[in-house]
Amino acid sequence: MSRTVREVVFVDGVRTPFGKAGGMYSETRADDLVIRCIRQLLRRNPGLPPERVEEVAIAATTQIGDQGLTLGRTAALLSGLPKTVPGYSIDRMCAGAMTAVTSVASGIGFGAFDVAIAGGVEHMGRHPMGEGVDPNPRILSEKLVDPSALVMGQTAENLHDRFGDISKQRADAFALASQQRYAKHIDDIAADLVTMNTRSVDEGWGLAVTDEPPRETSMDKLAGLKTPFRPHGRVTAGNSAGLNDGATACIVTEENTARELDLPVAMRLVSYAFAGVEPEVMGVGPIPSTEKALSKAGLSIADIGLFELNEAFAVQVLAFLDHFGIGDDDERVNPWGGAIAVGHPLASSGVRLMTQLARHFAANPQVRYGITAMCIGIGMGGTVIWENPAWEGGQK
């Protein structure tokens, strides 16, 4: 029996405002964050009958408490989707939501189903990364990895060691630019934020409408920050993403199904790839995953007109840019700023990248291809290449 791979499209994506760990969501449940996203997705897309959703994949890095218990299924039920809609959970650390999208996309492409919801949530204030885990002692005793591989900030310091051209000053400059770009595009970003009720025993009910992490800064302020991962190091709170709470969700469908239901076709999936690297320098992960994804698509980096790169650490993005010969201030890269400004609630971030790339595509019909990419803890990288359905020809 022969099969034809079907076209997969990204329809729409939303997210909660991102909060600081211990901040505005400190007394809000993690699952309620992603449930809110799913509900709002359905409201934004009334052409999609809830019964047409055939799978829900939700990621969380720390799958415990209100982020556990097969979150994709429980979130589907609590979102009001029919009980016939199945769901499951995913963990690929920072690339959880990205993997949720590529997983359901594979099912759609194969023909197992036509419509899915994918996303992620991380409540780092309630569930710090690594809570409740018990790493096998053989990992360290047999020297499979250096102990620094288990501390993400130390892996970023290792990257600075490996790439001597990436100085702390350069990392700080990139971080400042991220904050500045974000500040210029708050109104654009707001289009895909869903308001979120918050609760506090002391202060009562509230409403989250904007991101909590962004801050005003300067090169002088960044230069004076402590380097918590190494004395006289180069990685600081200012040139890294923070510890954050937040959720994302998106609709992914087969292209003809989207058109049948009169749903927007925001992006068309071209290829994706994940790759492993030395865990001690996990930040280089997006380099081989991008090379692999480009190769599978028959494209080169010169074909890519827009980039949404997750800013776990400035040094990690700069290593990627240097490898591919892209300037630090290239306007194609993170046009609205990145995780250094807006935050990185681990497993949710992949869909934030996709949602923003979809917005960039709509505003830039001269661009045909774009990339969402991120580094992943324990030594991996993930890359998804997308095509702009609004492309008018000409420039790639």
Side-chain angles (χ1 to χ4, degrees):
M1 177 180 178
S2 62
R3 296 183 183 274
T4 302
V5 177
R6 306 187 304 169
E7 294 287 358
V8 179
V9 297
F10 181 98
V11 168
D12 189 20
V14 299
R15 67 176 177 88
T16 65
F18 286 171
K20 295 179 180 179
M24 62 187 183
Y25 296 134
S26 60
E27 297 177 51
T28 300
R29 289 181 61 95
D31 48 8
D32 282 338
L33 295 174
V34 76
I35 289 163
R36 175 67 171 166
C37 288
I38 295 173
R39 286 178 172 170
Q40 287 302 103
L41 264 183
L42 295 172
R43 288 183 181 137
R44 281 166 57 120
N45 296 276
L48 175 61
E51 63 272 15
R52 291 295 296 270
V53 179
E54 298 170 84
E55 189 67 277
V56 177
I58 301 298
T61 299
T62 306
Q63 296 193 8
I64 192 170
D66 52 351
Q67 290 183 178
L69 196 62
T70 315
L71 188 56
R73 172 61 170 167
T74 56
L77 290 171
L78 289 163
S79 300
L81 289 169
K83 294 180 181 178
T84 52
V85 179
Y88 61 101
S89 297
I90 281 180
D91 174 17
R92 203 198 293 260
M93 297 193 75
C94 304
M98 175 179 281
T99 305
V101 170
T102 58
S103 295
V104 299
S106 297
I108 292 168
F110 182 76
F113 47 88
D114 298 327
V115 180
I117 289 175
V121 61
E122 208 74 51
H123 199 307
M124 300 182 78
R126 182 170 292 197
H127 304 296
M129 185 169 60
E131 179 189 11
V133 303
D134 180 19
N136 193 307
R138 290 179 49 235
I139 292 176
L140 297 181
S141 66
E142 297 183 11
K143 298 184 179 180
L144 299 177
V145 300
D146 185 85
S148 65
L150 302 180
V151 181
M152 297 303 101
Q154 290 184 19
T155 69
E157 288 285 7
N158 292 343
L159 271 186
H160 274 290
D161 292 341
R162 178 167 293 193
F163 300 106
D165 290 341
I166 305 178
S167 64
K168 180 180 181 298
Q169 184 177 22
R170 187 177 165 199
D172 286 348
F174 183 86
L176 178 60
S178 180
Q179 296 280 1
Q180 292 171 336
R181 289 185 178 189
Y182 174 89
K184 289 179 182 178
H185 293 282
I186 290 176
D187 291 341
D188 298 311
I189 291 167
D192 296 313
L193 295 185
V194 301
T195 58
M196 182 69 206
N197 288 331
T198 62
R199 68 179 297 276
S200 167
V201 171
D202 295 328
E203 299 179 14
W205 292 97
L207 188 67
V209 297
T210 58
D211 296 309
E212 193 175 18
R215 54 197 181 276
E216 290 187 12
T217 190
S218 66
M219 287 297 288
D220 286 343
K221 290 179 180 178
L222 290 169
L225 294 177
K226 296 179 180 179
T227 59
F229 303 106
R230 183 186 295 178
H232 310 292
R234 291 143 296 189
V235 178
T236 71
N239 58 33
S240 311
L243 304 178
N244 304 104
D245 307 329
T248 60
C250 67
I251 298 169
V252 184
T253 76
E254 186 268 332
E255 185 165 3
N256 290 332
T257 301
R259 301 196 186 282
E260 170 203 340
L261 298 174
D262 197 28
L263 297 172
V265 174
M267 302 192 292
R268 186 177 295 112
L269 182 63
V270 176
S271 74
Y272 69 87
F274 294 91
V277 297
E278 300 161 83
E280 298 85 355
V281 286
M282 66 95 193
V284 300
I287 294 173
S289 65
T290 297
E291 291 178 333
K292 187 176 179 182
L294 288 169
S295 176
K296 288 183 177 297
L299 298 172
S300 73
I301 200 69
D303 293 310
I304 306 303
L306 285 163
F307 298 81
E308 276 291 332
L309 307 177
N310 193 47
E311 298 171 358
F313 301 95
V315 62
Q316 163 257 317
V317 180
L318 292 169
F320 179 98
L321 298 180
D322 284 355
H323 178 85
F324 288 107
I326 301 169
D328 294 9
D329 58 353
D330 194 309
E331 294 184 354
R332 299 173 300 163
V333 178
N334 297 357
W336 295 353
I340 289 173
V342 75
H344 173 32
L346 301 182
S348 71
S349 289
V351 167
R352 179 189 69 80
L353 302 178
M354 295 171 190
T355 300
Q356 291 195 182
L357 181 62
R359 290 288 182 183
H360 303 330
F361 272 168
N364 293 277
Q366 78 281 7
V367 173
R368 184 172 185 181
Y369 297 111
I371 274 179
T372 54
M374 60 201 317
C375 62
I376 309 166
I378 318 299
M380 293 179 283
T383 300
V384 187
I385 300 177
W386 301 92
E387 183 179 23
N388 185 359
W391 180 59
E392 297 176 345
Q395 178 182 331
K396 293 178 179 177

